[in-house]
Amino acid sequence: MPSKATHDPNQVTQGKNWMIQDRYTEVKDLPGHEGEQVTIAGWVETVRVHGKVAFIVVRDGTGLVQCVLVKKELSPAVWEGGTEDLSQESTVQITGQVKLDDRAPGGAELKVEGLEVLDRAGEYPIQPKEHGVEFLMDHRHLWLRSSQQRAGLRVRAEVTQAIHDFYYERGFTRIDTPILTGAIGESAGTLFSTEYFGETAYLAQTGQLYVEAACPAFRKVYCFGPTFRAEKSKTRRHLTEFWMVEPEVAFADSEDNMRLQEEFVTYLVERALDRCSEELEVLERDTSGLEKVRPPFPRMSYTEAVEFLQSRGSDIEWGRDLGGADETILAAESELPTFIYNYPTEAKAFYMKENPDDPRTVLCNDLLAPEGYGEIIGGSQREDDLDRLLTRIREEDLPEEAYEWYLDLRRYGSFVHSGFGLGVERTVAWITGRPHVREMIPFPRLMNRLTP
Ligand code: 4AD
Ligand code: MG
């Protein structure tokens, strides 16, 4: 065994070699070790024995590798360890020689010289056959290991990293906003509340009010974290806990806000196409539509959208918020995401800026993803007029005291500002072409699911 592959903690914690991957070679790096002897560790996906030759496919979290055992070249103990009762998902450590092979999954194969079973797995519940979604969700802690789930979550990880990179590169300061809050952020209808030392606390529906407060301190800010909505809908677009990124920009109006959204969404799509091509292939995603995503995105006012829907036979009336089915019809008009802007005041949240050209509406927009993935962004210019904001808080019957601090932002240096929120799971569902947001988060929280 090479000196790298050791369990001696004194050796591996010294100097630069402290990192765990130095104990073992990672499967993704095998092609760089042609002809060398390496040791890997991982989990058994499949075992096939053909007489005196056996093949074990091992997953180490960085890739898959086929390990070849030739009976006559191995001690009986190694041969038996690798062929008899080596159950799926058992943990193994394998030493062998790297052979390049274009047909192999990661471009390399291991000719086994030593094998140790670190843990023998019991009978694995997930078998290569059709399981119902509820069964798979009950076993989400194990389902994560399967190839399509791994691919989807890798794309999510790339997209979340890209989110931070995008704002970092543009000089935004990240603001971490609270999860326990005393004021309703978005709407009273979907609040989770909890007792808080004699008061009521709400789980944050949004970090927006807090990034607005940080705006005069840092000018361009964003928050990114979990948000909570007690959604009683069992659709493929709704989670009760989802991740949202919310930028907020001082001296930006609704037009600037939409331009930032176009640039941002294009960046995320490009990053996924660029760095997750293998994952998108595993997911069998047809990327031809995604490759066309670039600014400008088509724009339609809410009023135009209603007229368009009515012309298609919809019974929607001006004033009502658009539903999922309406959004699908509107988004089907383009391969690009579509902006719908300036909704009626009564359909939207209290903090949106009244439209000076049509006070029945507010300066806001939703961004609808193509292919029926629905609203991925909601954004607006914020009401910067103290009296107008107070009136809206009263009209919505919100407890004024809870917004005193928020109103201070209009008392002490009010300014034009805008921002938006992009839902990560809906965005990743669109990019990966997966039908349901529940697969786009490692452990989804849904109306009927709190475990695992
Ligand atoms: O449109 P929403 O409610 O906007 C806000 O929360 C604003 N405070 C954002 C802002 O201006 N800073 O939510 C924004 C996005 C939606 O477009 C959608 O992508 C996602 O969050 N979203 C959900 N995703 C999954 N499950 C749910 N229940 C969601 N509710 C909203
Ligand atoms: Mg919305």
Side-chain angles (χ1 to χ4, degrees), residues 173 175 210-221 250 409 415:
T173 301
I175 299 295
Y210 298 96
V211 281
E212 282 189 61
C215 232
F218 301 99
R219 193 178 184 103
K220 291 181 290 190
V221 293
L409 308 177
F415 56 107

Side-chain angles (χ1 to χ4, degrees), residues 186 205-206 208 229 231 237-239 242 244 246 351 375-379 382 419-421 423 426:
E186 208 53 43
Q205 294 173 312
T206 168
Q208 180 196 320
R229 310 248 171 124
E231 305 272 8
R237 296 174 186 171
H238 287 92
L239 294 160
F242 64 96
M244 181 159 56
E246 297 181 88
Y351 51 71
E375 177 201 326
I376 54 171
I377 286 183
R382 316 309 189 186
F420 62 89
R426 287 190 194 175

Side-chain angles (χ1 to χ4, degrees), residues 44-226:
V44 172
E45 290 229 332
T46 56
V47 181
R48 286 179 296 132
V49 184
H50 293 293
K52 296 184 162 93
V53 186
F55 303 94
I56 306 174
V57 174
V58 174
R59 179 190 75 248
D60 84 334
T62 72
L64 297 181
V65 61
Q66 172 160 279
C67 305
V68 186
L69 289 82
V70 180
K71 189 173 182 180
K72 69 172 189 301
E73 293 173 5
L74 297 169
S75 72
V78 169
W79 172 258
E80 279 156 29
T83 54
E84 285 169 21
D85 309 325
L86 185 57
S87 44
Q88 186 184 351
E89 294 302 323
S90 288
T91 319
V92 289
Q93 172 181 312
I94 294 178
T95 300
Q97 248 197 37
V98 180
K99 291 224 151 42
L100 292 198
D101 182 352
D102 286 343
R103 293 156 306 162
E109 208 175 60
L110 261 196
K111 181 91 182 304
V112 177
E113 290 162 355
L115 178 147
E116 198 180 322
V117 180
L118 302 177
D119 183 55
R120 206 170 282 280
E123 198 186 330
Y124 195 56
I126 302 178
Q127 292 297 317
K129 61 165 191 177
E130 284 291 312
H131 289 290
V133 169
E134 285 310 309
F135 176 89
L136 291 169
M137 276 295 166
D138 287 342
H139 294 85
R140 182 64 175 165
H141 50 295
L142 302 176
W143 192 26
L144 292 183
R145 304 177 188 190
S146 67
S147 61
Q148 292 212 325
Q149 297 307 310
R150 291 200 311 270
L153 293 174
R154 272 281 312 129
V155 176
R156 178 197 171 96
E158 186 60 41
V159 166
T160 55
Q161 184 60 48
I163 286 171
H164 288 300
D165 293 347
F166 180 87
Y167 291 109
Y168 186 81
E169 286 164 10
R170 282 159 185 76
F172 283 64
T173 301
R174 177 179 174 177
I175 299 295
D176 297 319
T177 54
I179 286 171
L180 288 168
T181 66
I184 300 169
E186 208 53 43
S187 76
T190 59
L191 280 176
F192 282 114
S193 59
T194 180
E195 198 274 331
Y196 191 77
F197 307 111
E199 280 186 76
T200 301
Y202 305 113
L203 296 187
Q205 294 173 312
T206 168
Q208 180 196 320
L209 308 192
Y210 298 96
V211 281
E212 282 189 61
C215 232
F218 301 99
R219 193 178 184 103
K220 291 181 290 190
V221 293
Y222 76 104
C223 64
F224 185 24

Side-chain angles (χ1 to χ4, degrees), residues 143-397:
W143 192 26
L144 292 183
R145 304 177 188 190
S146 67
S147 61
Q148 292 212 325
Q149 297 307 310
R150 291 200 311 270
L153 293 174
R154 272 281 312 129
V155 176
R156 178 197 171 96
E158 186 60 41
V159 166
T160 55
Q161 184 60 48
I163 286 171
H164 288 300
D165 293 347
F166 180 87
Y167 291 109
Y168 186 81
E169 286 164 10
R170 282 159 185 76
F172 283 64
T173 301
R174 177 179 174 177
I175 299 295
D176 297 319
T177 54
I179 286 171
L180 288 168
T181 66
I184 300 169
E186 208 53 43
S187 76
T190 59
L191 280 176
F192 282 114
S193 59
T194 180
E195 198 274 331
Y196 191 77
F197 307 111
E199 280 186 76
T200 301
Y202 305 113
L203 296 187
Q205 294 173 312
T206 168
Q208 180 196 320
L209 308 192
Y210 298 96
V211 281
E212 282 189 61
C215 232
F218 301 99
R219 193 178 184 103
K220 291 181 290 190
V221 293
Y222 76 104
C223 64
F224 185 24
T227 40
F228 305 87
R229 310 248 171 124
E231 305 272 8
K232 293 197 183 70
S233 40
K234 291 186 188 162
T235 76
R236 60 197 191 89
R237 296 174 186 171
H238 287 92
L239 294 160
T240 55
E241 179 177 307
F242 64 96
W243 282 62
M244 181 159 56
V245 51
E246 297 181 88
E248 193 73 31
V249 183
F251 310 114
D253 64 14
S254 193
E255 285 294 319
D256 300 324
N257 199 29
M258 285 192 266
R259 276 196 293 274
L260 181 63
Q261 292 167 48
E262 289 171 338
E263 196 187 328
F264 178 45
V265 168
T266 301
Y267 182 95
L268 298 183
V269 169
E270 278 176 357
R271 265 286 280 268
L273 288 174
D274 189 34
R275 301 200 192 175
C276 297
S277 55
E278 273 175 42
E279 285 79 7
L280 294 173
E281 215 170 286
V282 169
L283 295 165
E284 295 171 8
R285 176 63 162 137
D286 172 2
T287 56
S288 54
L290 295 173
E291 277 153 22
K292 296 185 186 124
V293 173
R294 68 178 65 88
F297 297 169
R299 297 174 188 207
M300 203 188 271
S301 73
Y302 167 86
T303 303
E304 287 163 351
V306 166
E307 283 162 8
F308 179 83
L309 289 167
Q310 286 168 343
S311 77
R312 298 281 158 120
S314 163
D315 59 3
I316 187 162
E317 279 167 33
W318 197 98
R320 229 174 62 199
D321 200 2
L322 302 178
D326 302 322
E327 290 176 353
T328 302
I329 296 170
L330 291 166
E333 289 302 295
S334 172
E335 283 185 292
L336 299 178
T338 302
F339 285 116
I340 310 292
Y341 62 91
N342 296 3
Y343 284 67
T345 312
E346 64 260 36
K348 291 290 175 187
F350 69 95
Y351 51 71
M352 295 186 182
K353 173 90 182 152
E354 185 176 277
N355 179 4
D357 296 331
D358 178 2
R360 298 177 309 158
T361 64
V362 282
L363 297 175
C364 71
N365 75 270
D366 281 359
L367 183 66
L368 311 181
E371 302 172 61
Y373 286 92
E375 177 201 326
I376 54 171
I377 286 183
S380 66
Q381 189 171 326
R382 316 309 189 186
E383 185 54 76
D384 47 6
D385 181 85
L386 176 63
D387 293 333
R388 186 66 211 135
L389 185 58
L390 247 180
T391 306
R392 287 292 295 132
I393 286 173
R394 288 175 186 153
E395 279 171 3
E396 296 283 312
D397 244 347

